[in-house]
Amino acid sequence: MNIQEVLDDITATLRPELGQAGKVADYIPALARVPAEQFGIAVRTAKGQEYASGDCDVPFSIQSISKLFSLTLAMRAMGDDLWKRIGREPSGNPFNSLVQLEREEGVPRNPFINAGALAVADRLVTCGDGLDDILAFLSSLSGDAIGIDEEVAESEAATGFRNAALANFMKSFDKLDNDVAAVLHVYFRQCAIVMNCRQLARAATYLARDGVHPRQKTAVLSDRQARRVNALMLTCGTYDAAGEFAFRVGLPCKSGVGGGIVAVLPDKLSLCVWSPALDESGNSVLGMRALELFVANTGMSVF
Ligand code: DON
């Protein structure tokens, strides 16, 4: 199969639909300014071949995709102890919901809703350098120096009242070890990390290689841990649309409100699609369409 042709076909098919459906995230000005008429896609195989098409080199705000990598670091640092304070069930609620957290006494449903990512950030502050560890990890995985969009980071902090509420709520249940401000600092800045499709496809390849680093022989995660991250992506990676993603795409995915989606086909490849206009759950409209087309045109799926 010619993967490059598949990607070019998808880009050509979706080009007439650019900017037609969905809405660019507008909760902060730096994201609202991103033109909707963009689409990129990149694949890296478990063996190291890379293919890309469209706006695959355009940097974008990775937002919640960062939760995949912060979770990986926390699993490395803490092993199974991590699950004492974070669940593994789909939430069925919007990613920033407060209601469930009250009922469940400060233990977030899963590591990919905002409350769960805040609990993970708390662990990273306890175990290491927090944000610096995430940036160093992404730079090592992608082979490029990865940084932050300072304007997005400042806006996240200036408008992140709901995240502050979630963190304070968890603190009130004694479920955060560190100061709320230190935890929020890591979370706001990890959401403002900037990468492109090629870099993200490369960074996620350890999940298609039983936990082995994309370009080295070292283990990022154990085989078992990598399988668990993929399971969490499938069940929780696209928030309250995880069922729809499993039904329509059938790959473990992690999305972000910058319009990126990272997907994994275990033992075969990782891919990243990006298009900034979002549906009501906060997932990229054309990103999801592209993943559906990729699966339909290649026959590749976990099912
Ligand atoms: O926490 C927030 O509000 C943003 N940084 C959104 C993170 C995100 O991408 C959620 N989902 N798709």
Side-chain angles (χ1 to χ4, degrees):
M1 177 190 325
N2 186 329
I3 293 185
Q4 186 60 50
E5 267 177 26
V6 171
L7 301 192
D8 289 339
D9 270 3
I10 292 172
T11 305
T13 305
L14 295 182
R15 190 164 294 133
E17 296 178 37
L18 285 178
Q20 302 285 306
K23 204 161 153 286
V24 173
D26 58 3
Y27 70 101
I28 58 177
L31 290 183
R33 274 201 298 277
V34 177
E37 300 77 18
Q38 302 187 81
F39 171 79
I41 183 164
V43 165
R44 183 174 168 108
T45 68
K47 292 187 177 145
Q49 296 104 330
E50 292 192 357
Y51 307 91
S53 186
D55 300 311
C56 53
D57 293 309
V58 178
F60 60 89
S61 187
I62 74 168
Q63 292 289 321
S64 282
I65 298 174
S66 64
K67 295 171 183 172
L68 184 57
F69 303 102
S70 59
L71 170 67
T72 296
L73 285 178
M75 287 172 78
R76 268 157 71 116
M78 304 193 55
D80 285 346
D81 280 351
L82 181 67
W83 306 113
K84 288 182 184 157
R85 286 206 191 157
I86 306 174
R88 283 115 42 171
E89 291 296 342
S91 73
N93 278 315
F95 59 82
N96 54 9
S97 171
L98 279 150
V99 181
Q100 208 161 40
L101 198 55
E102 162 125 64
R103 265 203 313 270
E104 295 175 2
E105 303 193 342
V107 179
R109 270 282 171 110
N110 68 65
F112 293 148
I113 52 173
N114 286 14
L118 288 161
V120 168
D122 179 55
R123 300 293 101 79
L124 294 184
V125 174
T126 300
C127 297
D129 292 327
L131 185 79
D132 288 347
D133 289 341
I134 302 175
L135 288 173
F137 183 47
L138 285 171
S139 301
S140 160
L141 291 173
S142 67
D144 291 336
I146 301 300
I148 282 173
D149 181 324
E150 288 298 336
E151 191 192 351
V152 172
E154 277 165 34
S155 303
E156 293 278 350
T159 60
F161 303 111
R162 193 170 265 269
N163 287 317
L166 289 167
N168 278 296
F169 216 24
M170 283 191 281
K171 190 76 178 171
S172 78
F173 283 110
D174 207 18
K175 295 293 194 299
L176 291 183
D177 293 335
N178 299 284
D179 287 347
V180 166
V183 173
L184 288 171
H185 177 79
V186 172
Y187 177 74
F188 289 142
R189 293 181 73 77
Q190 75 177 68
C191 287
I193 290 172
V194 178
M195 293 174 76
N196 62 36
C197 288
R198 275 185 209 274
Q199 292 166 333
L200 274 167
R202 211 180 296 152
T205 314
Y206 64 96
L207 295 170
R209 282 165 57 88
D210 296 332
V212 176
H213 191 286
R215 285 167 301 100
Q216 301 165 7
K217 291 213 161 66
T218 50
V220 171
L221 291 176
S222 69
D223 180 13
R224 172 170 166 264
Q225 286 175 316
R227 263 185 270 130
R228 289 181 159 181
V229 173
N230 282 324
L232 285 165
M233 287 170 76
L234 185 76
T235 53
C236 314
T238 47
Y239 308 109
D240 39 338
E244 188 68 9
F245 261 80
F247 185 81
R248 282 171 55 181
V249 177
L251 294 175
C253 293
K254 182 73 206 85
S255 61
V257 296
I261 308 175
V262 162
V264 178
L265 183 63
D267 300 324
K268 292 277 188 309
L269 52 83
S270 49
L271 67 159
C272 177
V273 290
W274 170 64
S275 190
L278 310 177
D279 64 17
E280 276 159 16
S281 336
N283 297 304
S284 169
V285 175
L286 289 191
M288 188 175 191
R289 288 263 294 116
L291 290 171
E292 272 188 285
L293 288 170
F294 183 83
V295 167
N297 296 351
T298 61
M300 290 184 182
S301 161
V302 295
F303 298 111

